[in-house]
Amino acid sequence: MKQQQQWVKDLMFYLISSIKEYNAVKEKDLDAKGLKAKGLKAKGYIYTIQAAADNYATIYWHEKEEKNINIYPAGRYGSKFKAGYYNNVLMSKKAYDLLCEFLKGKKSENELKKNLHGEHLTPMSYTIGKLNNLIDKNLTDDEIKKEIDYAFSDAKYCIITKEEQHLLDGAKQNYTTDEIETFLSEYKEIHTALPDYVESDFRELEGERKQSFGFGAIRLFIMHNHGVNFVDANGNLKSFKECIEYLEDDNYII
């Protein structure tokens, strides 16, 4: 059985292919009526795209219960942690400590809601932007599928504190040249044969908002470089390399 993530990719391929075909056949008629679709932001597509993409990183297959589950907190961080829903989810050490206090009865769900934050390490708006760029490219079906795979790079979820969230989402949090260069230096130690197009994507982030741009690897690095320690569901400290392995393991099973 395919995981939810492959279903989302299949859906994106169908939508992109259908938009390309629809625009080619109906372009003149649509222009005359002022209804020409604008890629994946066209009415009738955008809500489907956003719903599917937003859930890409949060729908996991629960082996014991044999069903898909949504690990998105919705204000219930503690109960989902207690139920084991975060068994395959990276979290900051501070977030983990707060969740452990909940298990000991020292923190309430409401307190966790005020202090914790679930973060898409690759912003789905960034992924959707890359998908949208495929509409006007002359690509084969196989090339489209490879680009879709790339658009969903590092699409994992993590639990951090709201204080740590501001390292990405706070005012004036834009990528600097020094940050990008420092990241690439460490990233290349993990990926010794980094493709030029990947490196180029990271370099082009200069000046962009961290909140909305960049694959998960550099956004995780930003937090790690500012002293955020990451752990697994058992509290085991993870190195930056291990965090990258988590981003890339394509494992959405608990």
Side-chain angles (χ1 to χ4, degrees):
M1 185 184 70
K2 290 184 179 180
Q3 289 185 174
Q4 169 83 7
Q5 287 68 33
Q6 187 57 52
W7 176 84
V8 171
K9 289 179 179 179
D10 291 344
L11 176 61
M12 296 303 111
F13 173 75
Y14 169 75
L15 289 173
I16 290 169
S17 299
S18 68
I19 290 173
K20 291 169 76 73
E21 180 180 354
Y22 184 70
N23 282 356
V25 174
K26 298 291 186 179
E27 185 170 356
K28 291 183 179 179
D29 185 46
L30 287 168
D31 276 342
K33 296 179 181 179
L35 297 173
K36 186 176 179 181
K38 294 182 179 179
L40 298 182
K41 295 187 180 299
K43 293 290 185 182
Y45 285 97
I46 188 60
Y47 298 115
T48 301
I49 295 290
Q50 286 182 335
D54 284 347
N55 287 313
Y56 183 94
T58 61
I59 301 296
Y60 275 57
W61 177 253
H62 196 299
E63 286 189 309
K64 186 175 181 179
E65 297 182 8
E66 295 187 335
K67 66 178 183 181
N68 282 324
I69 61 166
N70 194 337
I71 65 170
Y72 184 75
R76 295 187 293 120
Y77 293 93
S79 58
K80 294 200 172 186
F81 181 64
K82 184 177 181 180
Y85 282 18
Y86 299 160
N87 283 353
N88 189 19
V89 175
L90 196 69
M91 58 194 78
S92 73
K93 179 64 166 58
K94 289 183 178 179
Y96 174 79
D97 288 343
L98 288 172
L99 288 165
C100 287
E101 288 189 29
F102 171 84
L103 295 183
K104 297 174 182 177
K106 296 180 179 180
K107 293 288 183 184
S108 66
E109 281 283 23
N110 192 48
E111 288 175 299
L112 292 183
K113 184 178 180 180
K114 290 179 180 178
N115 288 283
L116 296 183
H117 171 74
E119 182 72 36
H120 284 84
L121 285 164
T122 296
M124 286 299 98
S125 58
Y126 186 68
T127 296
I128 292 172
K130 288 202 165 292
L131 295 173
N132 197 51
N133 290 337
L134 302 181
I135 301 300
D136 297 321
K137 290 184 178 180
N138 186 23
L139 302 173
T140 66
D141 285 354
D142 284 344
E143 287 171 333
I144 291 173
K145 289 177 181 178
K146 288 180 181 178
E147 291 285 352
I148 290 172
D149 283 340
Y150 180 59
F152 282 99
S153 295
D154 303 347
K156 282 291 190 77
Y157 198 69
C158 72
I159 308 297
I160 57 179
T161 67
K162 291 189 182 296
E163 180 183 11
E164 293 163 339
Q165 176 194 358
H166 290 311
L167 294 171
L168 300 175
D169 298 353
K172 299 181 180 180
Q173 291 292 355
N174 297 51
Y175 292 101
T176 67
T177 301
D178 286 346
E179 285 177 323
I180 295 170
E181 293 300 330
T182 303
F183 160 74
L184 284 172
S185 177
E186 292 199 27
Y187 197 56
K188 287 179 179 179
E189 291 183 9
I190 300 170
H191 293 289
T192 53
L194 191 67
D196 289 342
Y197 67 90
V198 176
E199 183 171 344
S200 177
D201 267 353
F202 286 121
R203 292 191 185 282
E204 289 175 1
L205 293 173
E206 183 180 353
E208 298 287 5
R209 290 288 307 279
K210 296 171 184 175
Q211 181 178 14
S212 305
F213 289 85
F215 286 122
I218 192 167
R219 297 176 84 244
L220 192 149
F221 172 80
I222 294 296
M223 292 188 284
H224 188 269
N225 203 39
H226 281 82
V228 179
N229 293 313
F230 288 93
V231 301
D232 61 20
N234 294 314
N236 298 311
L237 192 65
K238 296 296 179 180
S239 65
F240 177 62
K241 180 182 179 181
E242 289 173 318
C243 289
I244 295 299
E245 290 171 351
Y246 164 76
L247 286 178
E248 299 174 351
D249 67 13
D250 204 30
N251 183 353
Y252 298 84
I253 299 174
I254 63 167

